[in-house]
Amino acid sequence: MGEAKRLGFYANGEYIVSKTEKYMDAYNPSTGEVIAKVPCCTEEEVEYAISCARQAYPGWSSTPVMKRVQILYKLRDLLVEHMDELTYLVAYENGKAWEEAKGDVLKAKEATEQAISAPSLMMGESLMDASAGYDTVLYREPLGVFAGIVPFNFPAMIPMGWMTPMCIACGNTIVLKAATFTPQSCMRIAELYKEAGLPDGVINIVTCSRTEAEIFLNHPDVKGITFVGSTSVGKHIYATAAASGKRVQALCEAKNHALVLEDAPVERTAAGIINAAFGCAGERCMALPVVVVQESIADALVEAIVEQAKKITVGPAYEKTTAMGPVVNAGHKKSVLAWIEKGLEEGASLVLDGRNVKVPGCENGFYIGPTIFDHVKPGMTVGDSEIFGPVLCIKRVKNFEEGLAVMNHNPFANGSVIFTQNGHYAREFARHTDGGMVGVNVGIPVPVGVFPFSGHKNSFIGDLHCLGKDGYRFYTETKVVTTRWFDEEERKKKTVSTWDGTI
């Protein structure tokens, strides 16, 4: 897999060579080598992918849901069968360490298993004699073609977990705009879908720039859009697509905080913070980049975090001894390094510097070691803005109330965490934190897929979250049918009330 290959786009069940003259480089982050040339598909090619999804929709939507999920059963088994292959591919193109990459694929499997519940979750409601002699039934029906705009950081879980399984289980078809840095994982899973028996055109995948992706926002055949990425782009997508009558769920930036109270066990809490802050090299919207710690234990906690962070093995993502891999590419590494410089300029104390980490034999890889700032003050952008890298900020507070206020002041509210053994404070925290996903002594409070991924504030724009029951509501619309059967007496009537059956 070391040779760069020229990728195509995937439409109507086949890979097609793009007519574009613009190709983008995708890298192996562990070595810095170019592994793929990714096409910036033309507007006509994006239109073609949408047309393939539109043409596949009538046949797929009329396929009974029980038959649709049989394909998902087979896909689930294929994910298990190809687990090592897919894990390696995620590590190879994204830079996640082996177990993290495997978790990426396992999360796609989990969402597939949730989508297999579609026959139950798509069931409607009914009421006999809603009005005398009138029966009412509510059905859930698919809408049509959806678009999924995918980030680079979870190349299996997000396109083939959060987006595709529920969408197609409900009877819709989809066009994915894969991340140009990491397109190969979802393309491989699309091949497994076809092997499982999915009809051509139900899943289509393009790679393109933001210019071509704008087509999705106003296209009359696209009924809804799922987006994961920056808040500024998410707001643009929501405003534009919603104005065109489309459904939108935009999962955006985050700056998750953890509040550590003085009764928390220091070593165990530090271990949870290390995992949450530096897992996936910090490239996840549920990372834990800020710790708000009660002053009375701050020194002890910082010392424990630093000592544990120093022991993290940084190396090639696909070597199983590696604990933390590289960031995704040179541009992103440059961005994270600039944030570290910004933190120094703002006056934060750099207590662990990961800028000069070296990996023998991989000198051109995009590595940044664990980096920790202490004494991060209000107003320092390094503690308030999303960095999306292995940078942890420590904020010190006097008590629970001050800590909660510091956390809630942040404009993002994906997740929030408290480390404490005090039930009262844990309950108060769960009630009053702005975070949509809350952890009590859990550093990454991502719920399993039967619950929604429920970010708040500027971390989510839309009405229905992905996954859980929200996911089924997003990918379906309701139809309410009222029925009246005439008996002998009713047949003889010559007048009908203007409120016929509604009162």
Side-chain angles (χ1 to χ4, degrees):
M1 299 179 72
E3 296 183 4
K5 57 183 178 181
R6 185 161 292 210
L7 303 181
F9 67 97
Y10 186 76
N12 202 34
E14 63 179 351
Y15 287 104
I16 302 170
V17 177
S18 175
K19 295 180 180 178
T20 186
E21 296 181 355
K22 181 179 179 182
Y23 279 79
M24 300 160 283
D25 290 338
Y27 293 86
N28 172 357
S30 297
T31 64
E33 66 177 326
V34 177
I35 57 174
K37 298 289 187 178
V38 182
C40 180
C41 291
T42 66
E43 292 185 1
E44 291 76 16
E45 289 164 347
V46 174
E47 291 271 6
Y48 175 69
I50 295 171
S51 72
C52 290
R54 182 190 68 242
Q55 291 168 21
Y57 173 70
W60 181 243
S61 62
S62 62
T63 300
V65 64
M66 296 296 289
K67 290 188 176 181
R68 295 199 296 260
V69 300
Q70 289 301 316
I71 293 172
L72 293 178
Y73 273 114
K74 294 177 183 177
L75 185 276
R76 185 261 181 205
D77 290 343
L78 288 170
L79 291 176
V80 174
E81 180 182 339
H82 292 269
M83 184 61 63
D84 283 352
E85 174 200 348
L86 294 169
T87 296
Y88 182 87
L89 186 53
V90 170
Y92 179 69
E93 70 169 351
N94 172 268
K96 292 184 195 297
W98 183 268
E99 288 301 318
E100 295 168 346
K102 185 175 182 179
D104 194 334
V105 182
L106 286 171
K107 276 295 185 179
K109 180 178 79 72
E110 177 187 281
T112 302
E113 292 166 346
Q114 166 71 353
I116 289 169
S117 301
S120 296
L121 293 173
M122 285 188 68
M123 290 175 67
E125 302 168 354
S126 62
L127 181 62
M128 184 176 285
D129 277 338
S131 183
Y134 293 79
D135 303 332
T136 301
V137 178
L138 179 151
Y139 297 98
R140 289 197 171 275
E141 296 184 331
L143 287 88
V145 178
F146 279 80
I149 301 176
V150 182
F152 71 81
N153 60 320
F154 282 89
M157 179 188 77
I158 290 178
M160 295 305 189
W162 289 7
M163 297 179 181
T164 299
M166 282 192 181
C167 178
I168 67 173
C170 291
N172 305 288
T173 58
I174 191 167
V175 181
L176 295 168
K177 178 198 171 296
T180 54
F181 302 154
T182 57
Q184 297 181 77
S185 298
C186 73
M187 288 182 172
R188 178 68 184 112
I189 296 175
E191 293 173 355
L192 296 181
Y193 264 107
K194 183 165 184 173
E195 185 177 337
L198 189 71
D200 294 343
V202 176
I203 296 175
N204 308 273
I205 303 172
V206 298
T207 49
C208 61
S209 74
R210 180 173 173 176
T211 300
E212 293 79 25
E214 286 284 321
I215 294 171
F216 295 126
L217 309 189
N218 293 296
H219 199 289
D221 290 332
V222 174
K223 304 303 180 184
I225 296 174
T226 299
F227 165 80
V228 181
S230 71
T231 298
S232 61
V233 175
K235 288 182 176 180
H236 167 72
I237 288 173
Y238 183 83
T240 307
S244 295
K246 305 183 192 312
R247 296 187 174 191
V248 179
Q249 49 182 203
L251 293 85
C252 301
E253 295 171 48
K255 193 70 171 182
N256 304 322
H257 285 47
L259 176 57
V260 182
L261 299 185
E262 60 188 359
D263 69 330
V266 171
E267 292 295 330
R268 176 58 181 84
T269 298
I273 290 168
I274 288 289
N275 173 65
F278 301 122
C280 300
E283 294 174 320
R284 53 185 177 185
C285 62
M286 283 301 288
L288 186 59
V290 182
V291 169
V292 181
V293 57
Q294 201 164 356
E295 185 69 52
S296 56
I297 64 161
D299 289 342
L301 182 68
V302 171
E303 181 181 357
I305 292 172
V306 170
E307 288 305 308
Q308 292 188 30
K310 287 178 178 178
K311 298 175 183 177
I312 294 175
T313 304
V314 179
Y318 32 76
E319 291 186 2
K320 295 184 181 180
T321 56
T322 293
M324 191 174 91
V327 297
V328 71
N329 59 26
H332 193 60
K333 178 179 178 179
K334 182 179 179 181
S335 173
V336 175
L337 293 178
W339 272 111
I340 296 173
E341 290 295 331
K342 182 71 171 177
L344 290 170
E345 293 170 5
E346 292 178 330
S349 300
L350 186 61
V351 295
L352 185 62
D353 188 349
R355 291 176 291 178
N356 298 313
V357 65
K358 303 295 183 185
V359 178
C362 297
E363 287 76 13
N364 294 323
F366 311 124
Y367 297 98
I368 303 174
T371 299
I372 301 173
F373 281 109
D374 195 4
H375 300 286
V376 176
K377 304 295 184 183
M380 292 184 179
T381 56
V382 72
D384 294 333
S385 299
E386 185 177 65
I387 296 174
F388 223 59
V391 180
L392 175 64
C393 297
I394 310 293
K395 300 178 180 180
R396 298 177 177 227
V397 295
K398 294 178 182 178
N399 52 38
F400 171 84
E401 290 76 16
E402 182 185 356
L404 182 63
V406 166
M407 298 173 78
N408 284 346
H409 181 71
N410 194 268
F412 306 110
N414 234 17
S416 59
V417 176
I418 186 170
F419 287 97
T420 182
Q421 296 299 101
N422 187 302
H424 168 73
Y425 282 129
R427 185 174 185 273
E428 286 298 292
F429 182 83
R431 288 183 63 201
H432 297 294
T433 180
D434 289 344
M437 289 166 280
V438 181
V440 178
N441 299 316
V442 176
I444 299 285
V446 177
V448 295
V450 295
F451 293 96
F453 192 91
S454 54
H456 291 172
K457 293 166 74 172
N458 280 343
S459 293
F460 178 77
I461 303 157
D463 299 306
L464 293 167
H465 294 87
C466 75
L467 300 178
K469 293 181 180 179
D470 267 19
Y472 283 94
R473 296 186 184 105
F474 181 75
Y475 287 118
T476 58
E477 60 183 354
T478 57
K479 178 179 286 183
V480 180
V481 179
T482 300
T483 303
R484 167 71 158 151
W485 296 104
F486 302 148
D487 57 20
E488 288 298 323
E489 191 66 29
E490 185 72 22
R491 292 180 186 183
K492 299 175 183 178
K493 289 186 176 180
K494 296 182 179 180
T495 60
V496 178
S497 167
T498 56
W499 291 98
D500 184 23
T502 63
I503 295 180

